[in-house]
Amino acid sequence: MMRITTVQEIETISQEHLRDYLLSKTKAMFAEYGVDSMDCIGCYVILSEDEFTQFPMEATEFAEIMMTKDEAYLHGVKIVSDDFAEDYYLPIGVVQC
């Protein structure tokens, strides 16, 4: 499990498309909320495939399948407080029909 709390930590994510997505999402939130750190908005939790039991399904506001260019994730957001949320990303396999 990786708990990402800074932009510098986002830059260490090995999955290129997820890293780019999270950098873009974080910069957009910084602009929207007028902040310059993740302390005020939340964190990202990147799970590995074998950590599926740590995805807090019952505590998430929603869960969705999120696709990047060549990766699929179960994505959910757990609201911790009025101004802090945990974004969970669990890599999953997708069956092509």
Side-chain angles (χ1 to χ4, degrees):
M1 174 188 338
M2 290 179 63
R3 186 176 178 84
I4 308 293
T5 59
T6 67
V7 172
Q8 293 76 20
E9 291 174 341
I10 295 171
E11 293 169 347
T12 68
I13 296 173
S14 60
Q15 302 95 330
E16 176 185 0
H17 300 291
L18 180 61
R19 179 182 61 241
D20 294 347
Y21 170 79
L22 293 178
L23 282 170
S24 176
K25 178 179 179 173
T26 303
K27 290 176 184 177
M29 285 193 296
F30 285 179
E32 180 178 350
Y33 297 114
V35 297
D36 61 1
S37 79
M38 293 177 63
D39 296 338
C40 303
I41 55 176
C43 68
Y44 302 118
V45 179
I46 314 299
L47 301 171
S48 62
E49 288 181 12
D50 62 342
E51 294 177 312
F52 62 91
T53 60
Q54 294 184 42
F55 189 90
M57 186 63 79
E58 67 283 345
T60 58
E61 292 295 309
F62 68 90
E64 64 181 358
I65 302 297
M66 187 193 92
M67 300 289 296
T68 64
K69 185 174 180 180
D70 60 355
E71 302 158 338
Y73 295 89
L74 180 60
H75 169 235
V77 176
K78 178 181 172 185
I79 305 299
V80 177
S81 69
D82 287 343
D83 58 355
F84 194 88
E86 294 175 334
D87 258 285
Y88 282 80
Y89 295 87
L90 173 66
I92 57 172
V94 175
V95 176
Q96 298 294 328
C97 297

